[in-house]
Amino acid sequence: MTATGDAPPAQAVERGRTTASTYPRHLAGKLAGAVVSLLAVLVTSFFLFRVIPGDPVKAMTRGVPTSAGQMATLRRQFGLDQPMWQQFTDYCGKALTGDLGMSYQFRAPVAELIAQKVPATLLLTGVAVVLYSAIGLWLGTRAAWRHGGLGDRLHTGVALTLWSVPSFWLGLLLIIVLAVGVGPLPGLFPTGGMESGDETGFAYVADVAHHMVLPVLTLVAVGYAQTLLVMRSSLLDEMGSDYLTTARAKGLRDDLVRRGHAVPNALLPTVTMVFINLGHVAAGSILVETVFSWPGLGGLFYQALSVPDLPLVQGLFVVFAGAMIAMNLLADLLYPLLDPRVGR
């Protein structure tokens, strides 16, 4: 017999083979789930936005004298005169080949309109996600490790407050205080947009960065609060574990116990949230982009809803949901690498 904890090499190799053999099944299951989710998104995106009140053709011709014949021609041109089932099958068939249709409002392919707006959204939300993920993880770890102290209570109180604040309201408040100015305090930042339009070279980069300050600050203020609270809660669950007591008994410093043992085991819930936030990089923030007139996907979605521009709304919805599905899938595939028990 072999003492407990000292498994023979053959058994250790067998456990490794078992884990290696189960991971492909884990991968196949997650990929199948992602495909089913994406198909559900296609179906939902078609029928969900059909309940929006309003006639797209009437909205497009508002203020322009249009005869009944011209209205009928427009409906036929956009396929709105076809039965619902035929519209649905045409939509799904084209979407599966990457054709998201033609925008009613802009008279341009939806895929091209989305591609034009993606860089601005990636710039804004990408910078924000990196900043608030790093800040939230760092402050959440410190708050949990010194839970009950003044710093923990302060960080948790601020995070709960910011997490409860609607992002559009916070953005409007920042515009009033830091862009318009209050009393003797002058406006320091632009009220909206991405650039002034008359800069080149390094001056252009500085101008874009200047315009980014307020929207990024809005996104970071709300996003870091969520990251901090999730990381704090996850780490608190780990702090009573026996392996941490054993690590301290071996004489390891407190910082090494935290960084080398507690934090890695507390990362799984936070990894999920970070990847979901990365999905938001593609989706952008509709409210924040609208408040700050940022020329990204969020503002485009708001414009499409106002018509309603059904192909553009549907295309953006598919892109947003697809980004979230892809990031969730990536997180699921990363789990077994962080904790081999997940893939078994």
Side-chain angles (χ1 to χ4, degrees):
M1 297 293 292
T2 305
T4 303
D6 298 327
Q11 294 181 11
V13 170
E14 184 63 27
R15 282 202 302 269
R17 288 176 179 171
T18 302
T19 301
S21 64
T22 56
Y23 186 75
R25 292 200 300 270
H26 175 76
L27 173 62
K30 296 301 180 182
L31 286 173
V35 171
V36 171
S37 298
L38 189 56
L39 292 176
V41 166
L42 287 177
V43 175
T44 303
S45 65
F46 180 83
F47 291 104
L48 177 64
F49 297 109
R50 289 303 190 280
V51 302
I52 298 176
D55 185 342
V57 174
K58 289 183 178 179
M60 285 187 293
T61 57
R62 185 180 296 117
V64 179
T66 309
S67 66
Q70 291 172 322
M71 298 278 283
T73 301
L74 285 174
R75 286 194 173 88
R76 185 169 56 255
Q77 178 182 347
F78 291 117
L80 296 174
D81 61 332
Q82 299 175 352
M84 188 66 70
W85 66 266
Q86 187 171 349
Q87 293 184 45
F88 175 68
T89 54
D90 289 346
Y91 164 70
C92 289
K94 291 179 179 179
L96 291 175
T97 62
D99 183 359
L100 298 177
M102 186 74 66
S103 168
Y104 299 161
Q105 183 179 8
F106 298 99
R107 306 295 179 92
V110 169
E112 290 184 7
L113 292 172
I114 293 176
Q116 292 171 5
K117 300 294 184 179
V118 163
T121 288
L122 292 181
L123 176 63
L124 177 66
T125 54
V127 170
V129 167
V130 170
L131 287 176
Y132 69 63
S133 295
I135 295 171
L137 287 172
W138 179 60
L139 291 179
T141 300
R142 292 179 63 86
W145 203 251
R146 296 176 174 82
H147 66 282
L150 177 61
D152 177 32
R153 294 197 298 270
L154 178 63
H155 289 313
T156 304
V158 172
L160 286 171
T161 301
L162 290 175
W163 200 7
S164 305
V165 173
S167 57
F168 72 91
W169 183 86
L170 181 60
L172 291 172
L173 184 63
L174 290 177
I175 288 176
I176 293 172
V177 176
L178 297 178
V180 177
V182 176
L185 182 66
L188 302 174
F189 301 100
T191 56
M194 181 177 173
E195 57 185 71
S196 300
D198 54 356
E199 305 291 349
T200 59
F202 180 77
Y204 172 78
V205 175
D207 182 49
V208 172
H210 191 217
H211 283 77
M212 286 177 59
V213 172
L214 292 186
V216 166
L217 183 59
T218 303
L219 292 172
V220 168
V222 177
Y224 108 90
Q226 181 186 16
T227 309
L228 183 150
L229 293 172
V230 172
M231 186 61 192
R232 178 183 180 276
S233 175
S234 180
L235 187 54
L236 283 176
D237 290 340
E238 294 291 331
M239 287 180 60
S241 301
D242 293 337
Y243 70 88
L244 294 183
T245 303
T246 303
R248 291 190 182 96
K250 291 180 179 179
L252 294 180
R253 297 198 313 272
D254 198 54
D255 285 344
L256 290 178
V257 173
R258 182 179 73 247
R259 294 198 304 267
H261 296 272
V263 171
N265 286 285
L267 277 178
L268 285 185
T270 313
V271 164
T272 301
M273 188 192 57
V274 169
F275 273 91
I276 289 175
N277 290 336
L278 288 175
H280 288 154
V281 170
S285 176
I286 297 173
L287 295 177
V288 172
E289 289 190 11
T290 302
V291 167
F292 288 98
S293 301
W294 189 263
L297 295 178
L300 185 64
F301 189 73
Y302 177 79
Q303 287 180 284
L305 278 176
S306 64
V307 173
D309 190 338
L310 294 180
L312 186 53
V313 170
Q314 291 168 178
L316 287 166
F317 183 80
V318 170
V319 170
F320 295 165
M324 298 299 296
I325 291 171
M327 289 299 105
N328 273 306
L329 174 63
L330 193 56
D332 286 336
L333 299 183
L334 183 62
Y335 279 169
L337 303 179
L338 298 175
D339 187 349
R341 295 172 297 179
V342 176
R344 292 179 183 175

